[in-house]
Amino acid sequence: AYAEYIVSRVAPALERMDAVAIEVLQMARGEAGRLRIGAAPLARVTILDDVYLEVSRRFPNLRVQVSLDPAEALAQKLVARQLDIAFASSDILTSEALRHDHEARATSLFAYETRFHAHPDHPIAALKRDLTADDVLAYPIASLSISRTLRESFPISLTDSQNGHLRALQTGDYGLLRRVVADGRAIGFGPAPLFERDGREGRSVALRFGAVRERRGIALVMPEYLQSPLSRQVIEIAGQA
């Protein structure tokens, strides 16, 4: 009688466990469940569209949620397990994530350079030589932020006018940054892929100024997510994109 009682209580739980195991396998293979992607501004203009389209093609039953945030916010969401995977620039995202959790794992996806760009008809583009800091600071500069990379391109001491031009426009909207350069209103500083299409279509040119610094676009995940076959496939898709 005791055995029959135990079986009557345990059997439903075992059946539920079997169902949970099947659901987890489906989620791991991307056949069901949810994928939470975070994308910083650079990822939005380089790989995000292609990643989403390919993921939705391969895994039609997967629900995809996309968060568009600065890298710092993505790092905090990732370590809080509010995201499954984040795409951004390595120097910002990795350092922020590791500051919160040393278990974060980064995978390099692509290399890119940061450069200064201007419209082909901008007065500075007519200077057919290596530019000086004074040449560049004579005009307003648009950038994502006054990053260390940008600030180190210029002398420590600036005039009021030069300092004003350096800080003329700081925006997390890469579309706006591209437009002010394409319209000839400012010199733009940012990732070369951002200006690639405008360069092909004659709306911007790279300026010969400053050290060309190489950065990397990465995928960042927490260690437990790396066990998922879905994770590996999404990272592979992002690398191809």
Side-chain angles (χ1 to χ4, degrees), residues 77-133:
K77 288 184 176 181
L78 189 75
V79 299
R81 274 58 174 185
Q82 296 171 357
L83 292 175
D84 299 314
I85 188 167
F87 300 116
S89 171
S90 59
D91 55 333
I92 299 175
L93 185 61
T94 306
S95 60
E96 278 296 311
L98 292 179
R99 190 165 65 86
H100 296 285
D101 192 325
H102 288 283
E103 295 298 311
R105 298 288 183 268
T107 300
S108 177
L109 300 176
F110 62 92
Y112 67 94
E113 298 173 345
T114 55
R115 290 178 176 269
F116 289 85
H117 293 76
H119 189 277
D121 294 332
H122 193 286
I124 200 168
L127 302 176
K128 305 298 183 181
R129 56 174 171 79
D130 291 340
L131 302 174
T132 67

Side-chain angles (χ1 to χ4, degrees), residues 171-197:
T171 174
D173 184 344
Y174 274 12
L176 174 60
L177 199 159
R178 286 180 53 217
R179 286 195 297 275
V180 298
V181 173
D183 290 345
R185 301 179 189 180
I187 295 169
F189 177 78
L194 174 66
F195 301 97
E196 186 174 345
R197 180 176 177 181

Side-chain angles (χ1 to χ4, degrees), residues 134-145:
D134 288 342
D135 294 330
V136 176
L137 288 170
Y139 302 98
I141 295 174
S143 63
L144 182 66
S145 64

